[in-house]
Amino acid sequence: MAALSLLHLLPLFLIPITSSAAFPPSSLVLSSCAHARYPSLCIRTLSPSAARTPTALAVDAVSAAATSAQNAHSFLRHFPSPPPPAVRDCAEQLSDSSDQLARAAAEIRHLRQENSRWHLDNALTWASAALTDDDTCLDAIRRLPASTHRSVSAHVSEARRVTCNALYLVSRLADTLPHRRR
């Protein structure tokens, strides 16, 4: 009888359970993420996006990176007390990264035909600075004990990869604009 009940449940285990199944990626997400540094992460991150333009998708990517950095920061803020100095430094870097990504998103939201290049250059600068902060954080934790390093590195590396993809999408957007003549 128990075996028969389990057989009725078997089809439930065959249904894939993924967050991207609820949000199938749009063709814009698929084409935009195809050449990102981490394409499957890019698709997974941006599948919920309702963006219909590359500009809106870049905002969503940068906003997702800011959230990812903030989540990693929150993880480090709840580290057992007292956290090692490297963990405190890393948390500060992630907070800075999240702030810089929020500024990058704001710059992209301000795009207008007459000032697009200026705003996109600013967004690229902020997103690049955020990626540098993520890298600095990873450098700071290299000498932590292995168990601590693994848990911290997993969170920070995820934020770094999402930021790297966001920077790619902003750069891709910038490449569509005509360059100024100097």
Side-chain angles (χ1 to χ4, degrees), residues 134-143:
D134 295 348
D135 288 338
T136 301
C137 179
L138 285 169
D139 286 343
I141 63 169
R142 287 197 200 284
R143 294 192 180 139

Coordinates of all heavy atoms in Angstrom, one line a residue, residues 134-143:
D134 N 34.3 44.5 -5.4 CA 34.1 43.0 -5.2 C 35.4 42.3 -5.2 O 35.6 41.4 -4.4 CB 33.1 42.5 -6.3 CG 31.7 43.1 -6.2 OD1 31.4 43.7 -5.2 OD2 31.0 42.9 -7.2
D135 N 36.2 42.6 -6.2 CA 37.6 42.0 -6.3 C 38.4 42.3 -5.1 O 39.1 41.4 -4.5 CB 38.3 42.4 -7.5 CG 37.7 41.9 -8.8 OD1 37.1 40.8 -8.8 OD2 37.9 42.5 -9.9
T136 N 38.4 43.5 -4.6 CA 39.1 43.9 -3.4 C 38.6 43.1 -2.2 O 39.4 42.6 -1.3 CB 39.0 45.4 -3.1 OG1 39.5 46.1 -4.2 CG2 39.7 45.8 -1.8
C137 N 37.3 42.9 -2.1 CA 36.7 42.0 -1.0 C 37.3 40.6 -1.1 O 37.7 40.0 -0.1 CB 35.2 42.1 -1.1 SG 34.4 41.1 0.1
L138 N 37.3 40.0 -2.3 CA 37.8 38.7 -2.4 C 39.3 38.6 -2.1 O 39.7 37.6 -1.5 CB 37.6 38.2 -3.9 CG 36.1 37.8 -4.2 CD1 35.9 37.6 -5.7 CD2 35.7 36.6 -3.4
D139 N 40.0 39.6 -2.4 CA 41.4 39.6 -2.0 C 41.6 39.7 -0.5 O 42.5 39.1 0.1 CB 42.2 40.8 -2.7 CG 42.4 40.7 -4.1 OD1 42.3 39.5 -4.6 OD2 42.7 41.7 -4.8
A140 N 40.7 40.4 0.1 CA 40.8 40.6 1.6 C 40.6 39.3 2.3 O 41.1 39.1 3.4 CB 39.8 41.7 2.1
I141 N 39.8 38.4 1.8 CA 39.4 37.2 2.5 C 40.3 36.0 2.2 O 40.1 34.9 2.8 CB 37.9 36.9 2.3 CG1 37.6 36.6 0.9 CG2 37.0 38.0 2.9 CD1 36.3 36.0 0.6
R142 N 41.2 36.2 1.3 CA 42.0 35.0 0.8 C 42.7 34.3 2.0 O 42.9 33.1 1.9 CB 43.1 35.5 -0.2 CG 42.5 35.8 -1.5 CD 43.5 35.8 -2.6 NE 43.1 36.6 -3.8 CZ 42.2 36.1 -4.7 NH1 41.7 34.9 -4.5 NH2 41.9 36.8 -5.7
R143 N 43.1 35.0 3.0 CA 43.9 34.4 4.1 C 43.1 33.9 5.3 O 43.6 33.5 6.3 CB 45.0 35.3 4.5 CG 46.0 35.6 3.4 CD 47.2 36.3 3.9 NE 48.1 36.5 2.8 CZ 48.8 37.6 2.6 NH1 48.7 38.6 3.4 NH2 49.6 37.6 1.5

